[in-house]
Amino acid sequence: MNRRETYTRTLRQLTSCDVQGSPSCADLETSEHSLDTSIDASYIIFDAWKLIASIMPQSSAEPHATRSKNGRNWEEALRRLDGAYSENTLRSYRADFRLFDKWCSKQGLCPLPASPETVAAFLAADAASASASTLRRRLASIRKVHRLFHLHNPAEDEDVLIAMRRALRTKPRRPAQALGLTAVLRDCLIAACPENLAGLRDRAVIAVGYDTLCRRSELVALRIEDLSPLPDGGMLALIRRAKNDPFGDGREGFVSAAAAGMLRKWLEAAEITEGDLFRRIVAGVVGPSSLHPHSIGRILKQRARAAGLSEAEQARISGHSMRVGAAQDMMTAGLGILPIMRSGGWKSVNVVARYVQSAEMSKIAALKTRSGSGVFD
């Protein structure tokens, strides 16, 4: 089935649903499973829904008003930030303040300007389900919207600070750690990739991601124009922008000769000569656009399953695993924190220290074993 036929069938299935409302999980699940089994099939559904939305008559009523009782439209205010912040940051601001707005509406409280008591009550209610990082982010969103209207910032009030501290004390401070895709696991996943377009692409994704220590968003943003060949057959990859590099100072990542060979094989098979390196494949056809960052985690989990990793290991694999595993291997090889930070574009020593902790513990255990008594001589 070619790409046009796949889109046509998906559109027919989706338009048979209640397109005036949101699709149910069952609708989406049925549609996705009837498509090509490629991990990128979900993007057909996403594109189909966008097409349906563009041709459906639009209702004049918003699903939830974004204008407060005093006439302040917070979504319009947030649009002033377009171009000054990343899309992920803007998406978080909108989602978080919308949640706060809806909660206030249900409680009969004013979200804008919000009183310190309102914000403190919201944090107390949200603490039951939200993580510590989510609570901090939602408070930052409330703070930002108030600042955009030059209103008093309720987030700085002592009652709010106390409510946040109380909520955080109920949460574990240590974040969940992704399974590090060390060289041994990396090779297992690469060996599990089949000899087809998706397999060639996924090998290159895993190899290049490990070598460059790229975040998933950085990896899918790589383009052919960012690559510079090296005499030994390897490459230098220019990572133009990162979440901690909003102004695009960039950094270079080293791609080994082995990883570069896998990348060249993928590019040749996909007939890619310019533009995005890692692209969607739909119904066996390489598309023009890059993978979505979330696809990286799905690729790793799919290949981990094919490689026979345990369910517990599969559950801990994420789009961050290559970056974590490479850092752990560098620590095991004897590199210090600063070289690892430079290689991965980290700016926080604490973050890197947390990633390589297991590698450090392994080195300490090995030293204790060699000492014979478990005590250093």
Side-chain angles (χ1 to χ4, degrees), residues 99 123-132 134-135 138 170-171:
L99 183 72
L123 292 174
D126 205 34
S129 57
S131 66
T134 298
L135 287 172
R138 286 177 178 161
T170 67
K171 305 291 179 181

Side-chain angles (χ1 to χ4, degrees), residues 14-234:
L14 294 179
T15 50
S16 68
C17 307
D18 179 15
V19 295
Q20 292 184 1
S22 299
S24 69
C25 294
D27 293 331
L28 291 178
E29 209 170 279
T30 301
S31 300
E32 184 166 353
H33 283 302
S34 65
L35 296 172
D36 187 279
T37 56
S38 165
I39 57 174
D40 295 320
S42 57
Y43 290 102
I44 301 177
I45 298 172
F46 177 70
D47 291 340
W49 270 110
K50 287 198 298 184
L51 179 58
I52 292 170
S54 69
I55 61 177
M56 287 298 297
Q58 299 298 313
S59 169
S60 58
E62 297 181 25
H64 179 78
T66 61
R67 190 180 297 276
S68 63
K69 293 179 180 179
N70 51 25
R72 294 188 176 98
N73 189 317
W74 56 265
E75 280 205 341
E76 185 177 313
L78 284 174
R79 281 195 285 271
R80 290 162 48 195
L81 303 179
D82 289 351
Y85 293 83
S86 72
E87 280 302 316
N88 284 339
T89 298
L90 296 177
R91 191 179 300 114
S92 295
Y93 282 158
R94 287 191 292 267
D96 290 337
F97 200 84
R98 183 177 293 110
L99 183 72
F100 175 63
D101 191 11
K102 288 183 177 180
W103 181 86
C104 288
S105 179
K106 290 180 180 179
Q107 305 300 319
L109 300 171
C110 180
L112 195 64
S115 68
E117 293 77 15
T118 294
V119 178
F122 170 72
L123 292 174
D126 205 34
S129 57
S131 66
S133 60
T134 298
L135 287 172
R136 292 191 186 96
R137 194 194 66 216
R138 286 177 178 161
L139 186 59
S141 300
I142 294 170
R143 179 188 301 116
K144 175 59 72 175
V145 171
H146 280 75
R147 290 180 64 181
L148 285 171
F149 285 104
H150 305 285
L151 297 170
H152 171 71
N153 179 13
E156 296 177 351
D157 188 271
E158 189 65 20
D159 286 344
V160 175
L161 297 177
I162 292 172
M164 175 62 84
R165 185 177 179 86
R166 182 180 295 112
L168 294 180
R169 282 176 62 85
T170 67
K171 305 291 179 181
R173 187 179 180 92
R174 185 180 180 86
Q177 176 70 65
L179 177 66
L181 198 69
T182 56
V184 174
L185 289 178
R186 174 204 63 189
D187 292 344
C188 288
L189 266 62
I190 288 175
C193 295
E195 291 290 337
N196 56 23
L197 274 174
L200 293 175
R201 180 199 61 191
D202 295 353
R203 286 178 191 170
V205 164
I206 295 167
V208 173
Y210 174 89
D211 279 359
T212 59
L213 285 81
C214 276
R215 298 175 178 87
R216 60 186 186 180
S217 59
E218 298 165 4
L219 190 58
V220 300
L222 287 175
R223 299 171 61 85
I224 285 187
E225 296 79 11
D226 299 330
L227 302 176
S228 301
L230 295 174
D232 67 350

Side-chain angles (χ1 to χ4, degrees), residues 299-357:
I299 286 172
L300 295 178
K301 285 181 180 294
Q302 184 185 49
R303 300 312 175 194
R305 186 164 54 252
L309 270 65
S310 68
E311 290 187 4
E313 290 173 317
Q314 293 175 38
R316 291 183 57 206
I317 282 184
S318 74
H320 229 50
S321 289
M322 296 175 291
R323 182 171 167 86
V324 174
Q328 291 173 346
D329 282 345
M330 294 172 74
M331 172 62 69
T332 303
L335 275 71
I337 290 289
L338 290 180
I340 296 175
M341 289 179 65
R342 283 196 294 268
S343 297
W346 280 289
K347 295 184 179 180
S348 169
V349 174
N350 291 338
V351 172
V352 181
R354 188 173 71 247
Y355 286 167
V356 302
Q357 184 178 21

